[in-house]
Amino acid sequence: QADLSSRAAMSYIDSVVAEVKAKGTEVKSEDLYKLNEAVFTLGEEKVLGRSASNLVALAVKLCREFNEKKIADPDDNFRFDVIGLIGTLQNQPFVQSRQRALLLEALGTVLPGASKGPSKAELAEMEQLKAEHAKLAQLALAVHSLKTVRVSAPAAEAAAGKGAGKGAAAKSAGDGAAAFALR
């Protein structure tokens, strides 16, 4: 009897998928609701195989056609019903990880306020920020290098202007190579 109920469930899913596919771009929110309900009421032990692939392909196709404005949404509910359908599908145990990734990608295209990617201005700003980051990284490296330089006592006095006049300072400055040592 379990095998019979499993076949009946798959048969029902297949019939709903076929019905929605047959409507093409004339599909309505009610059709998505019916499809979502059919998937949601499946038992956890149901493994759909080919039916799962058909469901995922249909959901992705519906998202694409909706985004391309091929499917009319007169009552503004289609978007929410397709979001509900994808949410239900991606949570089913018979959906494979590859299919789940396709569903989530499609979901990102229909969510209200979802970005279609960066604009040309945003891309230009990102390039400018990358260039600025590279300059700052070089500056940070130079500062780090300077922090490792150690000044010896005679060079420090010469730099401070201490000594016996310009001659002594000039003589100390001449020994500058010996006055600096790396830590």
Side-chain angles (χ1 to χ4, degrees):
Q1 176 143 7
D3 187 41
L4 182 62
S5 70
S6 179
R7 277 189 272 150
M10 289 191 323
S11 177
Y12 179 66
I13 289 287
D14 290 336
S15 69
V16 174
V17 167
E19 186 180 310
V20 172
K21 280 183 178 180
K23 291 189 176 191
T25 58
E26 299 299 317
V27 68
K28 303 285 183 234
S29 295
E30 298 80 27
D31 301 314
L32 292 184
Y33 180 81
K34 184 176 180 181
L35 187 58
N36 192 14
E37 183 179 45
V39 172
F40 191 76
T41 57
L42 281 175
E44 285 187 28
E45 71 281 351
K46 305 295 188 262
V47 178
L48 298 181
R50 189 167 188 85
S51 296
S53 297
N54 290 337
L55 276 166
V56 170
L58 178 60
V60 170
K61 179 182 178 222
L62 290 170
C63 288
R64 185 182 64 248
E65 289 178 348
F66 177 76
N67 284 330
E68 293 171 355
K69 308 278 191 248
K70 291 181 181 177
I71 296 176
D73 189 16
D75 60 358
D76 293 328
N77 286 326
F78 189 90
R79 173 189 309 270
F80 301 112
D81 286 326
V82 81
I83 289 170
L85 174 63
I86 290 174
T88 300
L89 275 174
Q90 64 86 32
N91 198 35
Q92 297 301 312
F94 56 79
V95 174
Q96 299 171 359
S97 61
R98 177 183 50 82
Q99 294 169 323
R100 190 168 286 111
L102 288 172
L103 288 169
L104 294 176
E105 183 179 325
L107 178 63
T109 66
V110 295
L111 287 173
S115 174
K116 303 285 189 233
S119 67
K120 287 183 180 181
E122 290 169 328
L123 287 172
E125 182 182 6
M126 283 191 286
E127 288 303 316
Q128 180 185 2
L129 290 172
K130 284 179 185 177
E132 185 177 341
H133 177 267
K135 288 178 184 176
L136 290 174
Q138 287 178 341
L139 180 62
L141 184 60
V143 168
H144 178 70
S145 295
L146 286 175
K147 284 183 175 181
T148 61
V149 173
R150 184 176 52 181
V151 178
S152 67
E157 289 175 6
K162 296 181 181 176
K166 287 185 179 181
K171 186 177 181 211
S172 275
D175 296 335
F180 289 101
L182 294 178
R183 287 188 195 179

